[in-house]
Amino acid sequence: MASSAEHDFLSNAALRIMESASKSTLFGYTEGQRKLFDFSCDLKRDWSKVIVGQTLWKHGGDGIEKDLRTFINENDVDAAVYIARHESRHRSRLAEVTQSHLETPMRHRLSRLRVFWVPSDFQASDPEACTAIYDYLREEISRDLLLHVVLGGLTSQDVIRLASSTRPGLPLAILSHVKRNGYRNLTHTAKALDVSQNAVRSEVERLFILNFLSSASLQGGEFEVTDGGQAIIDICARLRDYLHGHLGDGNANEDFAYICRLLGIHYSSIPNTAPLRIGEGAIDIQDPTALLLQHVAQADADGSVEWPEPYFELPSSSELATS
């Protein structure tokens, strides 16, 4: 079946949104081979997240069973995006097909499905409608896909709880230490960071509850940094760049700022010359952004964090061949 202008716009919009988000330098973007899908991409850092997707626009719901079966049967996929025309028959058919797959051995793979509904009267020939739909998809895909899948499920509440620690810099120092050296035991970690055991114990427990650290034991023990913990280190590294005045052109990065706003981090509201380290001045303890930047500034001053470098897109095979 020939695709429509609406179908093509929506499929391309999904790729544009994820490619644009990669300009935050938090991860890289490579468009994938579409094979059975309308769009596909690979988001990379020291991990790889494969995103595939289908766009449902004109086939009246007849292909929903085939689309979901393709999503479920595909191996090595981290998220399956379904952009669908918002009609009652589509929603009804999708619910019916989803329910039927809940009774199969592959039902756990339904958790990687992300459905985004687009108004049925959308027309790709209308520039204003295209802008509105793109902005809507950017917001929804960023919140439900990029934050949840790529950035380890980070939420604004996670940021607030991390920032509310009364030991500036220590949570970031612990995450960096565990990522680099692992976690042997409380005594070893406290000695390595030159901090009291009580302080380390308290912060490790907070990081564990926030799911920035994980352990095979519910009581803790051998900890490792989760995807969310890695993501907050990466974000704080870019906030450090902001404080040093070299986040990007003019000390700005629109795509990074957009992701931060979704997380309640309004870093441009705090001048990068503001006194943030301990003893420099008073911090507004009701402002999570100010508190988070204090953690970044103090950890930077202490030299306690190995800050990740910005992550840029890997060159494609064609670019390598011609270089």
Side-chain angles (χ1 to χ4, degrees):
M1 180 184 295
S3 63
S4 66
E6 289 75 23
H7 178 283
D8 292 343
F9 172 85
L10 295 170
S11 298
N12 291 330
L15 289 178
R16 286 167 51 207
I17 289 164
M18 288 181 274
E19 181 178 19
S20 179
S22 73
K23 295 175 184 176
S24 67
T25 71
L26 296 174
F27 54 88
Y29 166 92
T30 304
E31 185 170 347
Q33 295 184 351
R34 301 192 178 191
K35 294 187 287 187
L36 300 173
F37 304 101
D38 290 328
F39 54 91
S40 172
C41 66
D42 193 358
L43 307 181
K44 295 178 178 290
R45 192 176 169 93
D46 45 3
W47 39 249
S48 177
K49 306 287 186 181
V50 177
I51 315 295
V52 298
Q54 297 284 73
T55 300
L56 166 66
W57 195 254
K58 274 195 167 182
H59 58 55
D62 295 336
I64 290 177
E65 166 65 34
K66 176 178 175 293
D67 288 344
L68 257 68
R69 188 167 60 250
T70 302
F71 282 148
I72 290 172
N73 290 335
E74 189 73 7
N75 294 319
D76 302 322
V77 167
D78 294 280
V81 176
Y82 208 15
I83 300 177
R85 185 171 184 161
H86 192 177
E87 294 182 352
S88 58
R89 58 178 173 171
H90 288 167
R91 293 192 73 113
S92 176
R93 180 60 178 152
L94 181 63
E96 178 185 337
V97 173
T98 302
Q99 185 63 38
S100 68
H101 282 287
L102 287 173
E103 302 171 3
T104 71
M106 306 288 276
R107 58 185 177 274
H108 62 281
R109 291 191 175 182
L110 285 173
S111 63
R112 64 192 187 186
L113 180 65
R114 300 287 188 277
V115 183
F116 303 102
W117 297 101
V118 175
S120 60
D121 60 354
F122 166 62
Q123 294 184 348
S125 58
D126 183 345
E128 291 186 2
C130 287
T131 299
I133 292 300
Y134 181 87
D135 290 345
Y136 157 75
L137 286 176
R138 185 189 189 198
E139 175 89 5
E140 294 301 307
I141 288 175
S142 296
R143 286 189 182 279
D144 191 35
L145 178 64
L146 295 179
L147 294 188
H148 187 81
V149 176
V150 180
L151 298 181
L154 279 182
T155 69
S156 59
Q157 287 299 310
D158 295 334
V159 172
I160 291 172
R161 291 175 181 132
L162 177 73
S164 66
S165 166
T166 57
R167 301 178 179 89
L170 184 55
L172 299 180
I174 291 172
L175 288 174
S176 179
H177 174 80
V178 174
K179 177 188 174 185
R180 188 171 62 249
N181 304 300
Y183 183 95
R184 295 188 196 174
N185 54 56
L186 177 62
T187 303
H188 176 271
T189 303
K191 183 177 180 180
L193 296 175
D194 194 22
V195 180
S196 73
Q197 291 190 28
N198 285 338
V200 172
R201 180 187 294 107
S202 176
E203 293 301 329
V204 166
E205 289 174 354
R206 283 167 49 82
L207 292 168
F208 179 61
I209 291 170
L210 287 173
N211 197 34
F212 289 152
L213 291 176
S214 65
S215 173
S217 169
L218 292 177
Q219 285 73 42
E222 291 293 327
F223 293 101
E224 60 182 23
V225 179
T226 63
D227 285 349
Q230 175 62 61
I232 201 67
I233 295 175
D234 290 341
I235 288 170
C236 286
R238 303 290 72 76
L239 293 175
R240 171 180 176 266
D241 290 342
Y242 167 73
L243 293 178
H244 283 278
H246 53 76
L247 177 61
D249 186 18
N251 200 27
N253 181 317
E254 179 184 348
D255 297 287
F256 175 68
Y258 183 82
I259 290 174
C260 281
R261 285 196 297 273
L262 295 179
L263 292 170
I265 305 170
H266 305 282
Y267 62 85
S268 60
S269 67
I270 310 293
N272 67 333
T273 55
L276 293 167
R277 291 181 295 183
I278 296 174
E280 286 188 331
I283 299 294
D284 183 357
I285 62 173
Q286 300 303 316
D287 185 344
T289 298
L291 291 174
L292 183 64
L293 286 174
Q294 183 185 49
H295 281 286
V296 173
Q298 191 61 48
D300 191 35
D302 294 342
S304 59
V305 172
E306 186 174 298
W307 300 102
E309 292 294 324
Y311 193 87
F312 299 100
E313 180 179 354
L314 294 173
S316 67
S317 57
S318 59
E319 290 172 331
L320 289 173
T322 57
S323 61

